[in-house]
Amino acid sequence: MLELLNRFPVKDAAQFEIFLQQLEPTTPRLYSISSSLETVDGEIHLTVARDKFSIEEEWKYGLCSDHLCSLKPGDKIDFYIHHNDQFRLPDDGQDLIMIGPGTGIAPFRAFLSERETVGAGGRNWLFYGDQHFITDFLYQTELQQWKENGILHSLDLAFSRDQKEKVYVQDRIREHSADFFQWLDNGATLYVCGAKKMSDDVEKTIRDLLLEQGAGEQAENFLDDLKSKGRYLKDVY
Amino acid sequence: MSEPNLSSTEKIKQASDSLRGTIREGLSDDITGAISEDDRALVKFHGMYLQDDRDRRDERAEKKLERLYSFMIRLRLPGGLLSADQWLATQDIAGEHSTGIIKITTRQTIQLHGLYKSHVKPTIQAFNEASLHSIATCGDINRNVICSAHPKQSPLHGEVHAFAFKINELLLPKTRAYYEIWLDQEKIADKKEEEDPLYQDRYLPRKFKIAIAIPPNNDVDVFGNDIGLIAIVENNQLKGFNVAIGGGLSSTHGNPATYPRLGTIIGFVSGEEKILKTIYEIVTIQRDYGNRSDRSLARLKYTVDKMGVEWFKEEIVRRTGFPLEKEKPFQFSERKDYYGWFQNQDKHWYYTPFIENGRVADTEQVPMKTALYEIAETRKLNFRFTANQNVILSDILPEDKEEIDRILKKYGIEEYTASASPLRQNSMACVALSTCPLAFAEAQRYLPSLISKIDPLLKKHGLQEEEIILRMTGCPNGCARSYLAEIGFIGTALGKYNLQLGGDHAGMRLNKVFRESLEEPAILEELDRLFAEFSKEKKKKESFGDFAVRKHWV
C-alpha cells in the first residue's frame, strides 16, 4: 500500500479521507498447526514459509510470515485457535492419503505424529514436494524416521527443480495411480493441503486418470462422492 | 585359512555379490541423499566415498534435515596421464555435477567432491564417454599405480611409465558390478565370467598402494607404498627394479600397535614377466596372510613385520618359483616437481605450474581453472599429474610451445608460479575438513595461511631460499605423507597439530614427533627458534631435516 501511495500520491485532505475509509483492518492469518497435543502437550508447532516477493526489483516479505520468522525464543504473540472440524483425522483404523507439498505438509506432520503416539493402525501415504531436495525437504529426518518405523507406509517425493523436467506431486500420483485408486477403493481418506493451484492440478490429474481408465461420467463425480462421504478434505490457500 | 573374528567390512565384502550389495536400490531411494552403511563400504571399490559437510551438521539437524551428504569420486589414472580432451571433459563434468573444483591428489590422480546422489550415475557415465573410470580407486584393493612424473627425468621415462599401466591391468578386479550398476550394462549370465583368482570374494585386507620411482627423483615417495619399485637404469637401459615392500604411512592416535613404516628393499627383479609375477604374488601373500580382523593392523607393513622379511622373501620364491636378485645400488636426491619450462630428449616441452594443494579453481590470486581449460582447448598437449599435487602440461611440440606460453602469460600463471615461495612450492596438504570423515583438524583450508606466517620467519633468518619440504594432514593417516616431511603437521584436534621433524630430502627417513598438539602461536614460536639455530649452525648444503637429526631435536 505504501508503494502505491509513493507511486500515486494523494495530495488533498478530502481524498485522503476517502482513501482511509477504504482501508480495512489487517486480517488474521490462518496457519495449519503442525503438531499434535497427543504428542507434545502444551505446544503448538507452525510451519511457516517466509513469503518473499519483489516490487520494483526490491525484495519484500509477507507481513505475518516475516513477523513470525523474526521472532526470537521467548517472544510472545497474540493468536486464537480457529476451529476446523472437518480437516481431522478419521478413525484410527482408516487409511490416509495425504497430499501436502511445501508448507502444505503442516497438518500431515501433526497427523503422523498423533498416529504414532496413539498407535493408530491405519496405513499412511504421503505425497510431498518442493523445489529442492537438499534445502526444501521439510521434516526430512522425522519423515525418514516414520518411514523406518512403519508409520509411513509410502512416501512419494517430487522436487521440481532438481532435474530438467519439472516434477510435481500430481506426477507422482500418476506414477502410482493403480495403488492410489486401490487405497481409495479400500476406504482411504484423501487429504490435500497447500496452494490452491496445486490442489486444482491434483484434482485435474485424478479426473484425467479416471477418464483414461474409462470411468466416463463417474470421473466427474468421483471426488464429489468422496467429499459427501467425508473422505475428501481440502485445506488450500 | 579361517580367521576367528572377521571384521564387519570383511563380512560385507564377502556377502556383496561381487561388490554389488544393494547399491542400485540405494541409488533409487529418494528420501535420503545417503546409501546404507554396508553399501558405503562397497562404493569405495567403485571409486567413491560417501561424505557429508561437517561444517553444516548442526545447522541441518536444527532444520530437521539430514546431513548434507555427497560423494567424492576419484579417477583411475595409472602414471597420472590424461589427454587434453579428457581434461576438458573432466572440467565440464566437475562444473555440472560437483563443486566445480578438481582436486589433484597425492597419488597422481584427480577427484571431484560434492556430488549429490542423483548426480553420481550421470557423472560416471560422462566419464565413461571420455574413456575414464573410477574402478578400485578406493577400497581394499590395489589403488592407482603411480610413477615418477616428469618425462625429462630419464630417456627411459616412457618405458618405465608403461609398467604403471601393466601393473594396473594386472591387478584390476574382475567383477562386472561397476558396469552393471553405473553404466547399465546387462547383468552377466554366467558368474564364471567374473571369477577372480586374485581377489576371490574377499579382496585385500586393506588398501594397497604401488609406486614406481626413477632415481634420482623420489617424487612418488616410493618407500611410503606397500610395494615400491625403483627403476634401475644402466647404460641407458632399463635393467629392472629394486623391490621394496611394506611401506605405509598411516597410524592411529593412541594406538601404539600402529606406526608409519618405510618399505624394506628385498631385492632386484628384471624381465617383464618376472617383474609382474613378483608383484602379483606379493599381493596374493598379503591377501592370504594380512590381518582380516583388525583393520588398523591390516596393511602389508604389519603382515611383513608379523611374518618377518626373510619369511616373506622365501614365500615369494615359493609362489613365483624364482629367487629375487641382490638389490642394485641407486641414489635418490630429491622429491620435487620441476616448476617452469623444461625440454626432454625428444625435444618435447613440459610446463609445470604451481597449484596450491592441488586444488584447480579460479581464485582471487589466479584463474587456474580458466587457464587450464583454455590450454586444453588447443589440444596440443597431455596432462600429467604429479604425486606432489601438481600438473605437468606435457608432450608439447616445439612449434606449439609459444601458443601455450601465451595463454600461461595471459592468465598470470608463470608469474604466480614464480612468486610462490620455495616453502610453498614444496608443501602439500590433504583434503581434511569439511568433507573428510577422518579429519581431526584443518589441512588444505588452513595450510596456505600458515605458510604465509612461516615464510616471514624464514626470511628473518635468511632462509627464504631453503627448499624445506612441509606437509600437513588433518589426521594421522598420512594422505599427504606428512610422516615423510622435513616439517610435518599432523592434526590431533581442531587447531592443534603434532609438529614432526627430521624427514630427509629424498624420502629415505621418517620424521618423528617433536612437540605434541601445538596451536598456531606455539608452532610459530618453535619454528622461529629452530630456524634461528639452523641459520646459525647449518653446514653447507645441510637440509633442515638432516640438521634436525644432527641436533637430536627428535
Side-chain angles (χ1 to χ4, degrees):
Chain A
M1 195 57 78
L2 275 176
E3 292 291 332
L4 267 180
L5 279 178
N6 273 336
R7 242 198 281 185
F8 307 106
V10 181
K11 298 249 163 66
D12 68 280
Q15 246 186 0
F16 194 64
E17 194 82 0
I18 298 167
F19 171 76
L20 285 181
Q21 279 166 14
Q22 305 293 319
L23 294 180
E24 284 174 14
T26 306
T27 53
R29 266 42 168 199
L30 298 181
Y31 289 92
S32 298
I33 292 172
S34 50
S35 58
S36 161
L37 290 175
E38 294 288 342
T39 314
V40 282
D41 197 10
E43 290 181 20
I44 288 175
H45 299 186
L46 298 181
T47 307
V48 179
R50 191 177 179 213
D51 193 19
K52 187 180 177 186
F53 50 94
S54 71
I55 294 175
E56 303 272 288
E57 294 186 356
E58 200 184 326
W59 286 113
K60 299 283 176 188
Y61 296 97
L63 186 65
C64 189
S65 62
D66 190 43
H67 171 63
L68 288 173
C69 291
S70 65
L71 293 175
K72 288 172 192 62
D75 287 354
K76 292 196 159 62
I77 57 165
D78 290 329
F79 71 95
Y80 67 92
I81 301 290
H82 174 87
H83 286 272
N84 179 343
D85 292 328
Q86 303 299 314
F87 206 90
R88 291 291 174 106
L89 271 170
D91 293 342
D92 284 355
Q94 226 173 321
D95 294 345
L96 308 185
I97 299 178
M98 297 164 280
I99 301 167
T103 52
I105 196 175
F108 305 134
R109 179 192 180 239
F111 282 7
L112 290 165
S113 164
E114 178 152 330
R115 284 203 141 187
E116 181 183 34
T117 306
V118 305
R123 297 179 301 168
N124 304 299
W125 185 354
L126 176 67
F127 289 87
Y128 175 75
D130 208 309
Q131 292 191 356
H132 299 289
F133 169 82
I134 294 296
T135 50
D136 308 330
F137 195 163
L138 300 180
Y139 304 109
Q140 180 184 23
T141 51
E142 292 185 359
L143 294 173
Q144 286 176 339
Q145 193 73 38
W146 284 323
K147 189 85 198 328
E148 183 84 24
N149 67 19
I151 297 294
L152 253 183
H153 183 272
S154 278
L155 173 59
D156 282 292
L157 301 168
F159 290 98
S160 58
R161 307 267 174 102
D162 282 346
Q163 57 282 308
K164 281 180 195 121
E165 299 279 306
K166 289 196 178 168
V167 182
Y168 298 101
V169 281
Q170 59 268 23
D171 301 313
R172 298 296 182 223
I173 294 173
R174 178 172 280 279
E175 283 167 26
H176 300 282
S177 63
D179 285 340
F180 185 82
F181 288 111
Q182 204 187 355
W183 276 54
L184 290 176
D185 286 346
N186 285 341
T189 304
L190 176 64
Y191 293 86
V192 178
C193 181
K196 175 78 168 60
K197 164 88 169 66
M198 176 276 301
S199 74
D200 291 344
D201 291 342
V202 165
E203 288 190 356
K204 183 174 183 306
T205 301
I206 294 172
R207 233 189 326 269
D208 289 350
L209 286 169
L210 286 165
L211 285 172
E212 286 163 30
Q213 291 170 15
E217 203 172 302
Q218 216 196 325
E220 295 303 323
N221 303 328
F222 182 81
L223 288 172
D224 288 339
D225 287 349
L226 273 186
K227 201 179 289 177
S228 66
K229 290 177 196 151
R231 284 178 42 219
Y232 174 40
L233 296 155
K234 277 197 291 187
D235 182 0
V236 298
Y237 37 84
Chain B
M1 296 210 314
S2 74
E3 293 240 8
N5 304 305
L6 285 183
S7 71
S8 59
T9 309
E10 289 300 321
K11 290 173 192 159
I12 293 167
K13 285 186 273 186
Q14 290 184 21
S16 70
D17 183 21
S18 304
L19 306 178
R20 289 174 178 83
T22 56
I23 296 171
R24 196 192 283 271
E25 291 81 351
L27 289 176
S28 57
D29 179 3
D30 62 0
I31 76 169
T32 172
I35 51 175
S36 76
E37 290 287 341
D38 285 8
D39 289 339
R40 288 177 207 193
L42 297 176
V43 291
K44 292 181 186 173
F45 291 82
H46 301 274
M48 280 159 280
Y49 274 82
L50 180 72
Q51 306 183 321
D52 78 282
D53 189 338
R54 294 170 59 180
D55 288 349
R56 296 187 59 185
R57 282 183 187 175
D58 292 349
E59 166 229 320
R60 293 191 50 99
E62 209 161 80
K63 289 179 176 170
K64 297 184 187 291
L65 288 167
E66 68 176 9
R67 289 177 177 182
L68 184 51
Y69 291 107
S70 67
F71 290 78
M72 179 281 284
I73 186 167
R74 184 183 293 157
L75 292 181
R76 193 167 189 92
L77 303 175
L81 188 63
L82 199 72
S83 73
D85 277 317
Q86 288 172 322
W87 175 262
L88 292 173
T90 302
Q91 264 196 256
D92 290 341
I93 292 165
E96 194 175 343
H97 298 295
S98 79
T99 58
I101 295 171
I102 295 169
K103 168 91 178 174
I104 305 171
T105 76
T106 56
R107 289 187 52 78
Q108 275 189 326
T109 186
I110 47 183
Q111 60 192 35
L112 306 182
H113 289 260
L115 286 90
Y116 296 130
K117 188 163 81 174
S118 57
H119 287 264
V120 174
K121 220 167 138 172
T123 298
I124 292 179
Q125 293 183 347
F127 275 131
N128 188 57
E129 292 277 304
S131 304
L132 293 168
H133 70 81
S134 62
I135 295 172
T137 52
C138 312
D140 302 336
I141 196 159
N142 177 52
R143 308 284 190 86
N144 199 38
V145 181
I146 63 176
C147 177
S148 282
H150 208 296
K152 89 168 176 90
Q153 238 172 271
S154 163
L156 300 171
H157 182 271
E159 194 181 338
V160 177
H161 199 262
F163 273 96
F165 280 85
K166 287 169 193 161
I167 297 166
N168 180 68
E169 284 300 310
L170 180 72
L171 303 177
L172 276 175
K174 299 282 184 284
T175 170
R176 302 291 300 167
Y178 183 91
Y179 301 93
E180 285 175 18
I181 296 169
W182 311 105
L183 301 174
D184 294 327
Q185 292 188 6
E186 266 186 49
K187 236 178 142 52
I188 51 161
D190 185 358
K191 285 276 172 200
K192 281 208 180 87
E193 283 174 42
E194 60 174 11
E195 242 171 50
D196 199 326
L198 173 60
Y199 293 121
Q200 302 165 351
D201 64 349
R202 44 189 188 148
Y203 302 88
L204 297 179
R206 204 70 168 82
K207 63 175 117 178
F208 199 92
K209 298 177 175 179
I210 300 178
I212 309 171
I214 307 174
N217 197 342
N218 185 18
D219 55 341
V220 293
D221 269 323
V222 76
F223 295 110
N225 288 266
D226 294 277
I227 299 179
L229 300 172
I230 300 154
I232 302 298
V233 175
E234 285 170 9
N235 305 322
N236 283 327
Q237 278 191 319
L238 177 65
K239 291 293 175 192
F241 297 96
N242 279 348
V243 181
I245 59 169
L249 299 178
S250 52
S251 72
T252 309
H253 284 318
N255 182 353
T258 67
Y259 46 85
R261 184 188 189 283
L262 292 179
T264 308
I265 297 179
I266 55 169
F268 169 85
V269 61
S270 64
E272 183 176 322
E273 200 181 320
K274 280 187 171 181
I275 291 165
L276 294 178
K277 180 77 177 155
T278 302
I279 289 164
Y280 188 90
E281 296 302 351
I282 293 169
V283 178
T284 65
I285 296 170
Q286 163 66 353
R287 177 197 66 202
D288 295 341
Y289 288 91
N291 186 328
R292 288 183 187 262
S293 53
D294 184 347
R295 291 181 62 75
S296 64
L297 301 175
R299 288 285 295 274
L300 177 67
K301 60 185 174 181
Y302 301 112
T303 315
V304 170
D305 284 345
K306 177 177 70 178
M307 308 302 290
V309 173
E310 284 313 310
W311 175 89
F312 210 108
K313 283 161 80 168
E314 287 159 17
E315 183 64 18
I316 293 172
V317 178
R318 276 192 288 275
R319 294 188 180 212
T320 61
F322 58 84
L324 291 172
E325 295 170 46
K326 198 171 166 303
E327 68 167 282
K328 305 262 186 203
F330 66 95
Q331 188 72 46
F332 285 132
S333 59
E334 59 194 10
R335 281 183 282 168
K336 65 179 183 182
D337 284 347
Y338 306 108
Y339 294 109
W341 281 109
F342 289 94
Q343 202 170 18
N344 78 343
Q345 79 286 345
D346 296 330
K347 304 287 174 220
H348 291 164
W349 282 97
Y350 297 84
Y351 181 82
T352 308
F354 170 61
I355 299 178
E356 190 154 35
N357 301 322
R359 293 180 79 246
V360 178
D362 285 345
T363 66
E364 277 171 29
Q365 294 156 312
V366 69
M368 189 63 72
K369 205 170 107 175
T370 303
L372 291 184
Y373 198 86
E374 198 169 316
I375 288 167
E377 279 181 321
T378 67
R379 293 181 170 78
K380 288 170 179 167
L381 75 164
N382 290 312
F383 285 66
R384 289 173 194 270
F385 303 104
T386 79
N388 287 315
Q389 301 177 315
N390 285 304
V391 63
I392 307 168
L393 308 177
S394 297
D395 316 316
I396 299 162
L397 297 175
E399 58 266 36
D400 298 329
K401 183 187 172 217
E402 203 190 313
E403 184 180 355
I404 286 166
D405 196 50
R406 209 166 34 234
I407 303 172
L408 289 169
K409 287 206 166 73
K410 175 174 153 191
Y411 291 104
I413 305 297
E414 292 181 347
E415 209 183 328
Y416 170 74
T417 297
S419 71
S421 70
L423 184 71
R424 203 179 288 276
Q425 288 188 344
N426 284 288
S427 71
M428 282 206 289
C430 68
V431 174
L433 297 173
S434 65
T435 53
C436 177
L438 302 172
F440 296 111
E442 297 281 353
Q444 71 176 18
R445 294 200 297 195
Y446 168 57
L447 185 61
S449 70
L450 181 64
I451 288 176
S452 296
K453 291 170 187 167
I454 298 175
D455 267 333
L457 297 178
L458 287 169
K459 195 158 183 212
K460 175 178 155 192
H461 299 292
L463 299 168
Q464 64 272 21
E465 295 307 319
E466 285 292 316
E467 297 207 330
I468 299 172
I469 295 173
L470 180 154
R471 297 170 178 179
M472 174 177 277
T473 51
C475 82
N477 283 299
C479 287
R481 303 192 290 276
S482 41
Y483 288 107
L484 282 165
E486 296 182 88
I487 299 176
F489 293 107
I490 294 172
T492 56
L494 211 54
K496 292 186 178 180
Y497 300 86
N498 285 352
L499 172 56
Q500 312 264 135
L501 298 176
D504 66 332
H505 244 256
M508 308 283 284
R509 187 174 65 222
L510 292 168
N511 60 22
K512 289 185 187 148
V513 62
F514 172 67
R515 293 279 186 270
E516 283 183 23
S517 285
L518 296 185
E519 293 183 2
E520 187 180 282
I523 289 170
L524 296 174
E525 205 175 297
E526 290 289 355
L527 289 179
D528 190 26
R529 196 171 58 75
L530 299 172
F531 290 160
E533 205 171 326
F534 179 51
S535 167
K536 251 183 265 157
E537 301 176 35
K538 78 189 276 278
K539 292 180 183 164
K540 209 177 164 194
K541 291 202 169 170
E542 188 174 32
S543 72
F544 186 68
D546 289 348
F547 184 79
V549 171
R550 179 163 69 85
K551 282 294 188 177
H552 301 291
W553 287 346
V554 285

